[in-house]
Each structure stands twice: as structure tokens, then as C-alpha cells.
Amino acid sequence: SDFLITEVRVQQLPRISYLMTVWMRTQVLMLAALGSTLALTPAEWVAGTGLGINLGNTLDAPTEGSWAKPAKEVYFDWYKAAGFTSVRVPVRWDAHTLTVPPYTVNASFLDRVEQVVDWSIARGLYTLVNTHHDDWLDGSTDTAAFEAELPRLTAIWSQVAARFSPKSDLLAFEIYNEPHYNMTTAWLNAMNSAVLPVLRATNPTRNILLGGLKFMNPTWIASHPDDMVFPSNDTHLLLEVLSRTPRARTKPIARRSRTASSPEAQHTRAL
């Protein structure tokens, strides 16, 4: 198979010619601009992501601005000008969601996430929203604790899915980023089985990314090819893997000196 490396994520592509890829991307953008109700297939969505950038340490920080500068609309103009065609928007929902039923997400925070996503989609950028650093779930001490926490995640996704249901198919969801800590295969399948119907209630054809254990490591998938359970009737699911190989090209780089460029320019870096 052929592979496309977007940021440090390895995504499998179908074997299609370069000319077909260019044509398909053009048609996808035209359909998005016209507000077509035609749903992007997983292959079309992956092909369109192209070169991706991560809006990290922003909405996934304990508070926006505590780890990096708050998001600005102009950043997405810079992404577009630099040649990026997709943006991942990691979100940590924990601090903004009630810990007791009905597990309401703070309305102002949800508005802010929507604003950032809208900035991305408005520029024709393929966009991914997820749950990020929400280790209150995979950090559960045992199965009973996991089962007690799972309704909170489904409630979060129910609210997120309802809010974003009218959005372009340029937007995709990632149910849970990098499952690790105490997450087991049984927990993983239980989580996906609980969240998927909630998402499909309001987003029947939106592309949804699922990942395996060990931080979505491809070696886990290779050694456990039959462990993950996928609904047979859902044609808008993608298997996501995370690879930081070769490490010399994907390890974190030192932050640039603040005197080297404007504060805004420091917010982004080519990957």
C-alpha cells in the first residue's frame, strides 16, 4: 500500500494516480464551497488532508493560553499560505465539563471550539476535532471505574456532535486520541461501541477516526489485527495510527528565540 505522512501520522491511501488525486481534491473543494450534501468517503477525506499541521497546546491546554498563545484567525491564513491543507484541533474537554450527570459542556468553551473550527473550514482546510489528554477515562483504575466514567465521554460527544452536525464534511471526529495508560482492548471496544451510535444520531455520514492501543502505535495493530471491533454497516470509519519514526525527524525541536521573529510567527512551525 501507499502511505501519506501528515504531521507524524501515517495514513493509508488507495492506489490512485496523481492526476486522479488532483481532480478529486478539486471536486471535493468545489462541493464543499457549494454546500453539497454529498458525503466525503474516507478515502476522499484522507486524500484531501495532504500536508497537515497541529494546533497543539491550545484548546487541549488546562486553559487556553497557558501552554501556547491563544488561537487567532490569522493563523489559519498562515497555514493556508504555507501550503497546509489540513489542521488537527486537539481539545481537552475535562476541565470544561461537569463531572456529574448530565455532564454538560461549558457553553462558552464549546462556542470557542466551534469558532476555531469555523476558521479552519472557512479556508477549505480539512479539519479534525478530538478528545485530547482526557486521561480520566483511560486512566481508570479498573473496569468498574471505567464503566462509571464512560457515560461522561458519551455525553461530551453527544453535545459536540449535535453542535457540529451542520458543518462541512471537511470536518472529521477522532473519538479518543492515543489510548494508553490502563486502557484494555475490552475497554477500547466498549468505548467505541458506546460513542459511535451517539455520533451517528446527528452525524450519520461524518468520517470518524478510531485508533488502537499503545498510543495508536502501528505495531499494536500489526500484532493485534483482529482485536478492534468495527460495525459492518458503517462506511465512514478510518483506522488511525501514530508513528514517530524516524525519531530524528519527528522528535520535538527546540523553541525558537523570542527575538528571532514575531510572537505570532513562533506559534507555527513547519513539520
Side-chain angles (χ1 to χ4, degrees):
S1 299
D2 298 330
F3 291 88
L4 171 71
I5 299 179
T6 301
E7 191 187 350
V8 295
R9 292 177 180 272
V10 181
Q11 300 170 314
Q12 190 170 15
L13 287 174
R15 293 185 178 277
I16 55 178
S17 70
Y18 173 76
L19 289 177
M20 180 61 74
T21 302
V22 171
W23 177 87
M24 184 166 60
R25 290 181 184 176
T26 301
Q27 297 304 308
V28 165
L29 290 176
M30 288 176 63
L31 290 173
L34 292 173
S36 171
T37 58
L38 294 177
L40 294 176
T41 67
E44 289 170 337
W45 190 87
V46 171
T49 57
L51 182 64
I53 191 167
N54 188 51
L55 187 68
N57 297 331
T58 307
L59 296 177
D60 55 324
T63 57
E64 187 178 1
S66 62
W67 288 354
K69 293 184 178 298
K72 295 182 180 180
E73 186 171 8
V74 70
Y75 293 162
F76 295 85
D77 292 326
W78 294 345
Y79 300 157
K80 187 83 172 181
F84 292 103
T85 53
S86 62
V87 180
R88 185 177 73 157
V89 182
V91 183
R92 182 192 300 201
W93 302 95
D94 185 21
H96 309 281
T97 304
L98 294 180
T99 57
V100 295
Y103 306 111
T104 304
V105 177
N106 179 273
S108 296
F109 182 71
L110 191 53
D111 289 345
R112 174 58 170 164
V113 175
E114 183 178 24
Q115 180 184 46
V116 172
V117 167
D118 283 346
W119 289 341
S120 183
I121 293 175
R123 287 154 179 82
L125 296 167
Y126 289 73
T127 308
L128 180 69
V129 166
N130 68 9
T131 55
H132 209 86
H133 301 311
D134 279 314
D135 52 14
W136 46 271
L137 184 65
D138 61 2
S140 298
T141 55
D142 53 33
T143 298
F146 169 81
E147 292 174 346
E149 293 284 12
L150 185 55
R152 187 173 183 232
L153 181 69
T154 58
I156 290 171
W157 272 117
S158 177
Q159 295 166 77
V160 173
R163 174 66 67 94
F164 290 108
S165 62
K167 304 300 181 185
S168 160
D169 281 346
L170 293 177
L171 175 66
F173 296 147
E174 176 189 66
I175 288 181
Y176 199 86
N177 182 70
E178 299 182 12
H180 58 290
Y181 288 123
N182 300 326
M183 182 77 80
T184 65
T185 302
W187 293 8
L188 180 68
N189 288 326
M191 176 185 70
N192 291 335
S193 295
V195 174
L196 271 172
V198 169
L199 296 179
R200 289 299 178 227
T202 52
N203 294 259
T205 58
R206 189 169 304 284
N207 288 309
I208 297 173
L209 282 67
L210 309 176
L213 299 183
K214 306 297 183 183
F215 299 90
M216 297 178 172
N217 195 299
T219 60
W220 186 86
I221 295 294
S223 58
H224 301 79
D226 301 317
D227 282 16
M228 292 184 68
V229 176
F230 299 93
S232 59
N233 60 343
D234 195 324
T235 58
H236 288 274
L237 297 178
L238 296 88
L239 176 63
E240 182 181 17
V241 297
L242 170 63
S243 176
R244 294 188 174 94
T245 303
R247 185 67 176 172
R249 293 298 301 275
T250 62
K251 66 182 179 181
I253 62 174
R255 184 182 297 274
R256 301 181 212 166
S257 167
R258 293 187 180 274
T259 60
S261 58
S262 68
E264 288 80 6
Q266 295 170 29
H267 185 85
T268 62
R269 59 182 173 88
L271 298 175

